[in-house]
Amino acid sequence: MGRTTRRALAPLLLAALLGGCGTNPVTGRNELQFVGEAKEIQLGTQNYLPARQMQGGDYVIEPELTAYLQEVGARLAKVSDRPHLPYEFVVLNNSVPNAWAMPGGKIAFNRGLLTEMSSEAELAAVMGHEIVHAAARHGAKNIERGTLLQVGLLALQVSQIDNRYGALVVNSGAVAAQLLSQKFGRNAELESDLYGMRYMKEAGYDPSAAVDLQETFVRLSEGRKSDWLTGLFSSHPPSQTRVAKNQETLAELGAGGDYGRQRYAQKISGLLRNKPAYEAYDEGVKAMQEGQHEDAARLARKAMKIEPREAKFYGLFGDTRLQAKDYPGAIRYYEDAIERNPKYFQPYLTRGIAYRGAGDNPQAQRDFKRSIELLPTATAYHGLGMIALDQGNRKQAVAYLEQAAQSQSGVGKEARATLARLDPARFIATRTGADNAGKVLVQVANQAAVPVGRIQLEVSVLDPSGRRVQSRKTVSVRDWIDAGANTVVDTGLGPITDRSDLQRVRVAVRAAVALDDERRAGARP
C-alpha cells in the first residue's frame, strides 16, 4: 500500500476506532459518526465565548434585544429535531451582516444583520437555517471529514470589520477561529433551507419570508454589496438554485403565518437609531488602520455623542491616545470602555499596553491576564513575558513567550526571536547521517529567528540492545548558523558498517548562544 493511499485511509481508520454509523437526527439518513453529541456540546460550550469575543463581543447596551432573539430562537428550537440541545442565542456587536452556528446549538447574530432585515419572519428564516446547521450536525460532519481542528493549524483571520486581533488568537481562541471559519457545502446549505422552512411553518411563521430573503440576498450578491460579501455571503453563498428550492418548499408547505413586521420594527428601532454612530465608529477603525489618527479621534467623538453608552467608541478614542503615547489619556478612555462593558477583552488588552507604556507593570500584568481569560492572544502573552523578564523571572517569561510564539503574526515572530535569545538550544534541530567512509555526520539546522553559534552537541552511540552507551563524544559547531540555515559537522565517530546502525546514534544539544543585535556589529568567532 502506497504512502498516499495510507494517508487517505487514515481518517476512515480513525473513524472506525472512535465510532461507527449513526442516523442523522434531521434527515434520518445513515452516516458515519464518531463525534458524539457530548463532544458536539463540549465544542460549542468551550468555544462560544472566544468566538464571540473575536467577533466584537456581545451587544450589551440593549439587553432586551438579546432577550427578543432568545425568544424567537426558543420558539424555533422547540420544534426542531433536537430540541434538547442547550441552545443559546446572542446578538454580537459587529456591523458586518452575518450569523453563525457552532456545534451543540450555540448561535449568534451580528448587529449588522438585524438592521438589514424587515420582519420577525425573516429573522426566523435565518434563525431556522442556523438551528438546522446545529441540529443536522453540519459542524460535527466537517470535523469528521477532517476539515476542521487540523493538528498544527493556527488561528485564522475571521471576518469582522474592527477585528485587529483575529490573527493573534492562540490556544482555545485558535480552535474557535477554525469553527468560525468553517464553510458548509452546497448540500448542507440546501438542507438547512429546507428544514429551516419546515421549522418556521411548525413554529407559526410564514415560510414565504425565507423565499423573500433569499431573493434579496441574490440581488445583493449580484450588486456585489461589499459588506454583505464579507459577511453572510462568505459562509452562506446565495444562488438562484437556493431560491428555486425554497420556492418548491413553499409550495409544499403553503404560505401563511406570522410575519411580524411591526413587532420587528419596534424591537430594532434602537439599532436603527444608532446606526449612524456605528457607521462613524467603523470609519474611525479604518482610519486608525490607515494611520489617520486625527480622523479616527474625530469619528470616535461623533459616535460617542450619538450613543454615549457604547464601550467601543471610548475604546477607539483610547486607541488614538495610545498611538500618541498619551498613556494617562488612553488609560482614562479604556476605563470608560471597561465600565460600560466589563466582559469584552479588547479594552483590557489595550489598557495593559498603555499601563506598560506608563511603567506600571503590576497593573499591566493584571489587565493582560484578564484579557486572556476572555480571549487568549499572542499580544497579551507577549506582554506578560516581557514583564516577567523585567522582573528577572526567566522561567515564567519563557512559558508566556511560548504561548505568544504560536501565532504567525508579527508579535509571534518577535516572541520567537526573544525565545531564541533566551534559550537558543531549543531551536536547534539535528539529523544524523554518514559519509562514504562510514563516519557519523550530524546536520545541524537553526530554526530560530536569529543567528545561533557556539553550539555544543553531545553525540552518543548505544549498544545493539539500545540500552547502554557504547561511546559518547562532545562536538563543537565552530560556525555561526544564520536563521533558517544549516550546516553539517563530522562527529569523528565511526566508521559504521550498516546504515541501520544510525538508529543507535543519539544527539543532544547541550549549549548554544544567540547572536543578539548588539553583537552583530562585532566579529563572529
Side-chain angles (χ1 to χ4, degrees):
M1 184 182 294
R3 181 180 298 176
T4 302
T5 305
R6 289 197 300 271
R7 187 181 299 132
L9 287 177
L12 297 178
L13 294 172
L14 181 61
L17 288 170
L18 297 180
C21 289
T23 301
N24 188 284
V26 174
T27 67
R29 291 192 293 265
N30 289 331
E31 61 188 21
L32 187 66
Q33 295 181 358
F34 64 86
V35 175
E37 184 172 280
K39 184 62 176 179
E40 283 185 82
I41 292 171
Q42 180 188 28
L43 279 169
T45 301
Q46 289 178 343
N47 293 288
Y48 197 36
L49 175 61
R52 283 152 47 199
Q53 293 286 318
M54 273 185 282
Q55 292 283 281
D58 295 350
Y59 180 66
V60 299
I61 68 173
E62 291 185 82
E64 62 275 11
L65 192 60
T66 292
Y68 172 59
L69 206 73
Q70 291 169 342
E71 177 187 332
V72 175
R75 181 173 167 180
L76 289 157
K78 185 178 180 180
V79 301
S80 74
D81 292 284
R82 297 173 79 186
H84 60 281
L85 287 178
Y87 290 99
E88 289 186 59
F89 307 92
V90 69
V91 180
L92 298 183
N93 200 0
N94 190 321
S95 297
V96 174
N98 202 7
W100 47 263
M102 284 194 162
K106 306 305 183 187
I107 294 169
F109 273 64
N110 286 1
R111 165 177 47 77
L113 179 58
L114 298 180
T115 60
E116 297 287 347
M117 295 187 293
S118 60
S119 70
E120 188 173 305
E122 290 183 354
L123 171 64
V126 180
M127 184 78 77
H129 182 100
E130 297 300 334
I131 287 174
V132 176
H133 278 318
R137 305 182 64 258
H138 290 160
K141 285 194 280 189
N142 275 351
I143 298 168
E144 289 162 349
R145 294 186 191 105
T147 55
L148 285 175
L149 309 180
Q150 298 291 335
V151 175
L153 183 62
L154 297 175
L156 304 175
Q157 182 71 39
V158 290
S159 85
Q160 184 211 332
I161 197 166
D162 66 341
N163 179 32
R164 288 158 285 172
Y165 302 101
L168 292 164
V169 293
V170 294
N171 299 335
S172 63
V175 178
Q178 293 175 61
L179 289 169
L180 278 174
S181 68
Q182 66 181 317
K183 290 180 173 60
F184 301 117
R186 175 178 177 273
N187 290 340
E189 290 298 313
L190 293 175
E191 204 169 84
S192 291
D193 287 345
L194 169 62
Y195 291 98
M197 288 179 69
R198 290 181 180 177
Y199 293 171
M200 287 179 69
K201 186 67 174 180
E202 193 168 348
Y205 288 108
D206 189 341
S208 63
V211 177
D212 296 342
L213 199 60
Q214 275 300 318
E215 289 175 338
T216 299
F217 289 172
V218 169
R219 285 196 302 273
L220 287 169
S221 67
E222 290 172 347
R224 303 190 67 81
K225 188 175 178 183
S226 62
D227 56 344
W228 281 87
L229 290 170
T230 58
L232 197 66
F233 290 172
S234 65
S235 55
H236 301 76
S239 66
Q240 281 299 144
T241 299
R242 289 181 67 182
V243 172
K245 289 290 187 181
N246 282 8
Q247 289 170 335
E248 291 176 13
T249 304
L250 179 61
E252 169 201 326
L253 297 173
D258 188 5
Y259 220 95
R261 284 190 176 88
Q262 290 184 344
R263 181 167 60 252
Y264 188 77
Q266 188 273 324
K267 294 292 185 180
I268 69 161
S269 59
L271 277 183
L272 293 175
R273 184 172 58 250
N274 285 330
K275 195 172 182 180
Y278 290 102
E279 289 173 346
Y281 167 77
D282 294 337
E283 290 177 23
V285 170
K286 290 179 181 177
M288 276 295 294
Q289 293 169 345
E290 294 168 1
Q292 300 169 0
H293 305 134
E294 291 185 6
D295 287 345
R298 174 181 56 80
L299 290 162
R301 288 193 201 95
K302 178 182 178 180
M304 286 187 284
K305 186 175 181 181
I306 298 171
E307 179 47 86
R309 297 176 298 168
E310 176 53 66
K312 283 194 169 186
F313 303 161
Y314 296 85
L316 175 58
F317 196 85
D319 292 345
T320 67
R321 296 296 84 217
L322 180 63
Q323 183 63 37
K325 296 187 178 180
D326 173 13
Y327 299 122
I331 291 167
R332 184 168 65 252
Y333 278 93
Y334 291 142
E335 287 172 348
D336 288 339
I338 291 168
E339 180 182 353
R340 285 162 175 78
N341 186 2
K343 295 183 179 181
Y344 184 43
F345 85 99
Q346 191 169 308
Y348 291 104
L349 179 60
T350 46
R351 190 176 68 172
I353 295 170
Y355 271 123
R356 178 145 171 79
D360 190 343
N361 277 348
Q363 186 59 54
Q365 193 174 45
R366 285 191 288 271
D367 277 351
F368 287 143
K369 287 181 177 179
R370 175 56 179 151
S371 77
I372 287 170
E373 291 172 1
L374 295 167
L375 182 68
T377 64
T379 304
Y381 278 116
H382 184 267
L384 288 172
M386 300 313 290
I387 291 172
L389 278 181
D390 291 347
Q391 296 169 340
N393 191 338
R394 182 189 179 97
K395 182 178 179 180
Q396 185 64 74
V398 168
Y400 284 134
L401 291 169
E402 284 176 337
Q403 300 298 317
Q406 297 178 37
S407 169
Q408 295 304 305
S409 63
V411 172
K413 183 178 179 180
E414 187 177 345
R416 289 190 292 276
T418 304
L419 279 171
R421 295 184 177 95
L422 290 174
D423 188 8
R426 73 171 59 224
F427 293 93
I428 300 301
T430 62
R431 186 170 64 178
T432 57
D435 63 13
N436 292 334
K439 293 293 183 69
V440 176
L441 307 177
V442 177
Q443 183 185 54
V444 184
N446 177 16
Q447 298 175 342
V450 295
V452 175
R454 297 184 184 174
I455 300 169
Q456 296 288 322
L457 306 177
E458 183 180 88
V459 185
S460 304
V461 180
L462 306 181
D463 66 15
S465 71
R467 296 175 182 174
R468 293 185 299 107
V469 174
Q470 206 168 37
S471 59
R472 179 184 287 120
K473 187 173 184 179
T474 299
V475 178
S476 298
V477 181
R478 298 180 60 186
D479 298 328
W480 288 86
I481 306 176
D482 288 326
N486 64 79
T487 190
V488 176
V489 295
D490 184 348
T491 67
L493 296 173
I496 60 171
T497 57
D498 189 336
R499 286 188 175 269
S500 64
D501 290 341
L502 286 173
Q503 297 176 5
R504 297 191 285 115
V505 178
R506 300 290 184 269
V507 181
V509 181
R510 295 305 185 194
V513 175
L515 186 68
D516 57 31
D517 293 337
E518 288 74 23
R519 294 173 60 200
R520 285 179 187 271
R524 295 188 178 191

